[in-house]
Amino acid sequence: NMAGPLVPDPMVLKGEYLNKAKVAEGGKKQRKNWTSTWVVLGSDQLLFYKESKQEAGKPGFKPEKVDLCGAVVDWTTEKSSRKNVFQITTSCGDEILLQSDNYSTICKWHDAIKKTANALSGG
Ligand code: I3P
């Protein structure tokens, strides 16, 4: 397979704006601050961009990357007063909440991220 090693990570879910709050970093609790972020799901990581146009790869714009190997993904009703919130807990102890007012939107992201994390984690 000539192209094999050169093919970039396939994009699993195309970009969409979701609300995001990081509530812990490396196991240490953080002050909650909800922001809108452009989210892209790759085959083994989640990318957060401030704006959709940054995804095109303009130099100088680096997305925040979340390694999904070993991550745990679950709905939560306890970490926020908002509806439609799920939490990603990474293997390094980061805790990220993602939310959308649109239920079908957040379900799509929850299901895809959870499936990816579980596949990477050997489950
Ligand atoms: C927080 C802010 C968040 C809220 C959080 C508050 O206050 O109102 O929106 O989270 O609740 O502490 P501040 O801006 O003063 O930090 P939700 O919107 O998710 O409920 P919390 O402390 O119960 O997490």
Side-chain angles (χ1 to χ4, degrees), residues 35-116:
T35 53
S36 174
T37 183
W38 183 256
V39 185
V40 174
L41 176 60
S43 60
D44 63 357
Q45 63 183 1
L46 201 54
L47 301 173
F48 297 130
Y49 297 86
K50 285 200 176 77
E51 290 180 59
S52 59
K53 63 185 176 198
Q54 296 173 353
E55 192 190 337
K58 270 193 196 168
F61 286 118
K62 290 235 176 80
E64 180 187 344
K65 295 181 181 178
V66 175
D67 179 6
L68 290 176
C69 185
V72 174
V73 178
D74 272 311
W75 295 107
T76 177
T77 54
E78 285 153 24
K79 298 286 184 80
S80 175
S81 62
R82 297 185 176 206
K83 64 175 183 179
N84 306 338
V85 179
F86 71 87
Q87 177 171 327
I88 303 167
T89 305
T90 69
S91 59
C92 63
D94 290 353
E95 297 177 10
I96 297 154
L97 304 180
L98 291 176
Q99 189 267 346
S100 169
D101 287 339
N102 187 292
Y103 182 64
S104 64
T105 297
I106 202 67
C107 281
K108 181 182 69 181
W109 284 90
H110 167 274
D111 293 355
I113 294 168
K114 190 174 179 110
K115 193 174 163 188
T116 301

